């Protein structure tokens, strides 16, 4: 028996349907996956359920009663909790303070002692390890997510909506998280999990509803389907298989790092890194997040200074050049933090495309902008990278209203330009759906196949293995080992990632 039924839900934004006649039914004790590419309408549907948006048409039945939640508070009061893609915890407050924020009991603010006891009890029961007195800003994303879940459970919900919960987690954290979900399911909670990772759907869900372009395409029982079928319904076509990797002659070295160190107090963030990236090569950098990969990317792109060591690019010592000068020399950077380093999200697509060449001809001359080439650049990016803009606003679309995949495409359109000779791609497909992921990977492969270079940093081993000519594994700020593609496999890389050195293998 369904605890939740959404029927014929439609919602349009400025005349364009984000949801069109969607049905969704979820039972008690069920993990129901909502699958769809970026922009398919998943978040919108859940925001309608959670009282953030009002549907234009359609009905919601919750515990057999027709309902219309007018606010998240209303939804929570009636037993529906939601953990958003971007967390909404107060950074400077503690876990306990965040969980009881805004709660009253019989008009009186609740006792901290009782609250703490209840949090500890819930945390123990479901394996949600957190310290009630830790401050949010000191927690990892995985821990913050546990707080969000606890916060919802504390409010006695029966249905938990999780919007792309694993996008920010490491593989190990994801496994722990799935353990929590299984416990919740066994206790009779209903769970809706949004994801676009097939393997996760196969592993954790009971049923799956697939959305595409705002419409419900199919509902399937997970045990009766497979990743291939799921992706076919999701993207409406079959995916291309493996990449064809063209043999490359030895074209010489593009980038050479010698003994690069970054010291932070006593700690070495980078510890005597020496490596080369050849022309026409993808050098993969594998490793568990936080082992120096981002520092490495930043020291090459010029965002950070090294404490010692040398960097040569195409034979030239580039130490003295800043980010912009390095960009002009052909070093592009696709950051893992799109919002901090990649895009100004309140600006339009067009202006984000202009961010790094606004002072160059033909875009401007003596401080005066030249509209035509600026628009031409944006138009080409939209066309070449098939960027889906909002409604009818086209290149004037404000970046923050675009889906993550389309935001990433803007960065790639800007960074992977004709002048780019080395592309540093830091987690370039994290959080993207299959279609966009394939597109990004093909773009990087095209760079390599045109005798240019790619430094690919990824926590996704399948991605590293599919694309790299050689694979360097980072551990604790050092290179634990470098493997040739033909000698590399998941097991060897995994050992190096865990700190086992090549000599010990
Ligand atoms: N507040 C909004 N204003 C205008 N358009 C929006 C808004 N929210 C979502 N959209 C549009 O609705 C569509 C579906 O978005 P969304 O539900 O976020 O997709 P998903 O979560 O599946 O990636 C997208 O085209 C998106 O640009
Ligand atoms: Mg979404």
């Amino acid at each position: 028996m369904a605890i939740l039924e959404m029927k014929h839900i439609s919602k349009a934004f400025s005349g364009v349907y984000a949801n069109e006649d969607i049905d969704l039914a979820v039972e008690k004790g069920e993990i129901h996956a909502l699958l769809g590419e970026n922009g398919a309408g998943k978040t919108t549907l859940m925001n309608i359920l959670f009282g953030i948006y009002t549907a234009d048409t359609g009905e919601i039945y919750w515990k057999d009663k027709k309902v219309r939640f007018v606010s998240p508070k209303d939804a929570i009061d009636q037993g529906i909790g939601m953990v958003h893609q971007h967390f909404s915890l107060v950074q400077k407050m503690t876990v306990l303070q965040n969980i009881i924020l805004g709660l009253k009991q019989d008009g009186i603010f609740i006792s901290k002692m009782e609250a703490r006891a209840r949090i500890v009890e819930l945390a123990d029961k479901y394996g949600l390890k957190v310290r009630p007195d830790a401050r949010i800003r000191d927690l990892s994303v995985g821990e913050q997510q546990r707080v969000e879940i606890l916060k919802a459970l504390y409010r006695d919900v029966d249905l938990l909506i999780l919007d792309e919960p694993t996008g920010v987690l490491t593989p190990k954290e994801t496994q722990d998280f799935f353990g929590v979900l299984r416990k919740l399911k066994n206790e009779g909670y209903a769970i809706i999990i949004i994801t676009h990772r097939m393997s996760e759907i196969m592993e954790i869900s009971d049923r799956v509803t697939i959305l595409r372009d705002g419409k419900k395409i199919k509902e399937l029982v997970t045990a009766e389907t497979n990743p291939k079928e799921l992706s076919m319904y999701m993207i409406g076509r079959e995916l291309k298989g493996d990449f064809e990797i063209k043999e490359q002659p030895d074209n010489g070295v593009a980038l050479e790092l010698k003994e690069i160190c970054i010291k932070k107090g006593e700690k070495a963030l980078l510890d005597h890194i020496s490596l080369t990236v050849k022309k026409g090569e993808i050098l993969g950098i594998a490793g568990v997040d936080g082992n120096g990969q981002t520092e490495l990317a930043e020291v090459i792109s010029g965002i950070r200074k090294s404490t010692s060591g040398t960097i040569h690019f195409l034979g030239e010592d580039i130490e003295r050049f800043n980010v912009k000068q390095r960009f002009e020399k052909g070093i592009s950077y696709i950051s893992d933090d799109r919002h901090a380093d990649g895009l100004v999200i309140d600006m339009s697509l067009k202006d984000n495309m202009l961010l790094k060449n606004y002072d160059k001809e033909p875009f401007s001359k003596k401080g005066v902008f030249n509209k035509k080439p600026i628009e031409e650049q944006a138009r080409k990016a939209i066309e070449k990278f098939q960027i889906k803009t909002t409604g009818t606003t086209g290149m004037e679309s404000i970046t923050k209203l675009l889906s993550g995949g389309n935001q990433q495409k803007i960065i790639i359109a800007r960074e992977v330009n004709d002048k780019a000779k080395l592309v540093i791609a830091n987690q370039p497909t994290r959080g993207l759906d299959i279609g966009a992921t394939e597109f990004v990977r093909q773009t990087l492969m095209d760079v390599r196949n045109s005798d240019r270079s790619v430094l690919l940093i990824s926590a996704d081993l399948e991605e590293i293995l599919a694309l790299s000519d050689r694979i360097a594994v980072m551990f604790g700020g050092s290179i634990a080992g470098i493997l040739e593609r033909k000698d590399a496999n998941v097991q060897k890389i995994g050992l190096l990632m865990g700190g086992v050195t090549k000599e010990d293998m």
Side-chain angles (χ1 to χ4, degrees), residues 13 18 37-45 53 164 390 401-403:
F13 293 106
E37 290 197 273
N38 290 132
K42 307 178 295 287
T43 298
T44 302
L45 186 67
Y53 295 148
E164 307 214 17
T390 49
L401 294 182
L402 302 184
S403 70

Side-chain angles (χ1 to χ4, degrees), residues 72-192:
K73 186 176 177 307
D74 194 10
I76 292 166
D77 287 347
Q78 305 205 42
I80 296 180
M82 178 160 176
V83 178
H84 296 274
Q85 236 163 328
H86 305 288
F87 303 152
S88 49
L89 300 169
V90 184
Q91 290 290 316
K92 61 180 183 208
M93 297 201 325
T94 66
V95 169
L96 175 69
Q97 287 166 335
N98 265 283
I99 290 176
I100 62 175
L101 189 66
L103 281 183
K104 285 181 192 165
Q105 208 162 36
D106 307 326
I108 308 162
F109 284 100
I110 45 181
S111 131
K112 279 215 173 136
M113 228 169 63
E114 280 171 34
R116 180 191 309 272
R118 174 116 193 278
I119 291 168
V120 170
E121 184 195 316
L122 279 171
D124 281 350
K125 184 165 178 191
Y126 296 110
L128 290 154
K129 269 172 287 169
V130 289
R131 291 159 288 135
D133 298 310
R135 293 203 183 271
I136 299 300
R137 58 163 182 249
D138 298 328
L139 302 182
S140 70
V141 258
E143 287 170 314
Q144 294 191 28
Q145 184 175 61
R146 295 205 278 273
V147 178
E148 289 273 15
I149 294 171
L150 272 174
K151 190 172 165 183
L153 296 182
Y154 194 93
R155 283 156 177 71
D156 279 330
V157 300
D158 306 298
L159 169 72
L160 199 54
I161 305 164
L162 303 157
D163 194 351
E164 307 214 17
T166 59
V168 294
L169 301 183
T170 62
K172 164 79 170 68
E173 285 174 328
T174 300
Q175 283 312 313
D176 295 345
F177 170 72
F178 283 172
V180 172
L181 293 192
R182 287 188 191 103
K183 285 194 184 130
L184 290 168
K185 170 185 150 80
N186 291 338
E187 286 291 317
Y189 284 93
I191 295 169
I192 299 176

Side-chain angles (χ1 to χ4, degrees), residues 11 75 111 115 121 149 155 162 174 193 249 262 306 314 317 377 383 389 402 413 434 436 488:
K11 172 84 186 165
S111 131
E121 184 195 316
I149 294 171
R155 283 156 177 71
L162 303 157
T174 300
I193 179 171
I262 298 182
S306 59
L314 302 174
D317 183 344
Q377 169 171 266
E383 188 185 293
T389 56
L402 302 184
I434 298 196

Side-chain angles (χ1 to χ4, degrees), residues 28-72:
K28 251 174 85 85
E30 175 189 28
I31 300 181
H32 196 111
L34 202 51
L35 170 70
E37 290 197 273
N38 290 132
K42 307 178 295 287
T43 298
T44 302
L45 186 67
M46 292 301 104
N47 282 344
I48 290 170
L49 174 58
F50 196 52
I52 295 173
Y53 295 148
T54 312
D56 298 338
T57 56
E59 291 115 50
I60 303 174
Y61 294 87
W62 171 242
K63 297 181 181 170
D64 292 331
K65 277 212 294 281
K66 189 167 165 180
V67 291
R68 168 157 286 193
F69 302 129
V70 295
S71 67

Side-chain angles (χ1 to χ4, degrees), residues 376-391:
E376 182 67 9
Q377 169 171 266
R379 201 185 51 71
K380 273 192 184 151
I382 291 172
E383 188 185 293
K384 180 165 175 214
F385 292 87
Q386 292 161 21
I387 301 171
K388 276 198 197 130
T389 56
T390 49

Side-chain angles (χ1 to χ4, degrees), residues 274-397:
S274 296
L275 56 82
T276 57
V277 186
K278 295 178 206 160
K279 293 178 192 166
E281 174 181 64
I282 296 181
L283 178 70
I285 305 278
V288 177
D289 272 359
N291 275 281
Q293 297 95 318
T294 295
E295 287 79 5
L296 177 68
E298 291 182 347
V299 90
I300 301 169
S301 61
I303 295 173
R304 262 177 201 266
K305 286 275 171 229
S306 59
T307 321
S308 59
T310 60
I311 305 182
H312 285 78
F313 180 59
L314 302 174
E316 184 179 22
D317 183 344
I318 57 167
E319 184 60 40
R320 66 184 182 284
F321 298 128
N322 64 23
V323 177
K324 194 153 180 292
Q325 290 163 326
R326 291 186 198 194
F327 180 74
E328 278 154 20
K329 294 213 170 271
I331 299 181
S332 288
Y333 183 36
I334 300 167
S335 166
D336 61 334
D337 191 339
R338 293 196 267 281
H339 292 172
D341 309 321
L343 294 166
V344 181
I345 59 168
D346 289 313
M347 287 191 345
S348 67
L349 179 159
K350 184 185 79 183
D351 289 343
N352 269 294
M353 284 302 299
L354 193 61
L355 218 49
K356 285 189 165 172
N357 53 19
Y358 62 90
D359 55 349
K360 295 271 167 323
E361 285 193 44
F363 305 107
S364 69
K365 205 169 171 180
K366 298 198 177 90
V368 181
F369 285 116
N370 203 348
K371 200 168 152 203
K372 234 178 152 180
I374 292 174
E375 291 187 350
E376 182 67 9
Q377 169 171 266
R379 201 185 51 71
K380 273 192 184 151
I382 291 172
E383 188 185 293
K384 180 165 175 214
F385 292 87
Q386 292 161 21
I387 301 171
K388 276 198 197 130
T389 56
T390 49
T392 51
T393 46
M395 66 177 74
E396 302 295 344
S397 296

